[in-house]
Amino acid sequence: MSTSERLIESTRELLWERGYVGTSPKAILERAGAGQGSMYHHFKGKPDLALAAIRRTAEDLGATAERVLGGPGTPYERIEAYLLRERDVLRGCPIGRLTMDPDIVASDELRAPVDETLDRIRELIAGIVEEGKELGQFASSLDGEEIAATVLATVQGGYVLARASGSPAAFDTGVRGLLSLLTPPNDPIT
């Protein structure tokens, strides 16, 4: 892995663990095993490196969501697969973590990849809900955009509840509750 790649990956990990303020250039260099001038050779400074790391995290999360939501199955099954996919629940969401960081939220540039990724996932889910309505698998009264926002809120809120309780059970409970509300008529969850 090149030095610039090690710097990006180290910054991604540190942003997830410590947030923007807690991610010092010194910590990045130590984690990356890079020399003092390396960061400034490859990046203009911490904000530039953080932006590269945030973009990479956003791209990875978006690609995972697209792969799961675009997979096989009925609209319900694809949303179910997204909600039930393997996650490190107690660690939290790397994108969700960024939304809680005041320095990232205050920066239009740093916040943009986060917002774009969440919008992309919301649009995918909304489209699946509309597809399910057309196929008669979801109630015609459902609003795709509202359900998509609810799915994202359940996932992000589930991370918070799980971290607060120290148990993934809180995340799982929220997901099961949402799935029970989305269960197609005459098709109870087993």
Side-chain angles (χ1 to χ4, degrees), residues 37-105:
S38 298
M39 181 188 305
Y40 300 101
H41 174 73
H42 296 284
F43 302 94
K44 295 175 191 165
K46 178 181 166 182
D48 188 41
L49 176 53
L51 181 59
I54 291 167
R55 282 182 177 149
R56 176 83 51 85
T57 297
E59 288 167 8
D60 286 354
L61 187 68
T64 296
E66 285 180 3
R67 186 177 65 254
V68 174
L69 291 166
T74 66
Y76 176 87
E77 290 168 342
R78 292 184 314 208
I79 291 172
E80 179 184 46
Y82 175 75
L83 287 166
L84 296 176
R85 77 172 180 80
E86 181 135 350
R87 293 173 166 87
D88 188 353
V89 175
L90 294 178
R91 192 167 181 208
C93 175
I95 288 292
R97 168 72 173 95
L98 297 173
T99 65
M100 293 182 247
D101 193 308
D103 291 294
I104 291 174
V105 172

Side-chain angles (χ1 to χ4, degrees), residues 127-164:
I128 292 169
V129 171
E130 294 303 321
E131 176 188 342
K133 286 169 49 177
E134 289 173 16
L135 296 171
Q137 296 173 356
F138 290 132
S140 61
S141 60
L142 291 182
D143 181 287
E145 290 182 23
E146 290 176 358
I147 296 302
T150 303
V151 169
L152 285 178
T154 298
V155 170
Q156 293 304 317
Y159 282 123
V160 171
L161 294 173
R163 290 186 71 175

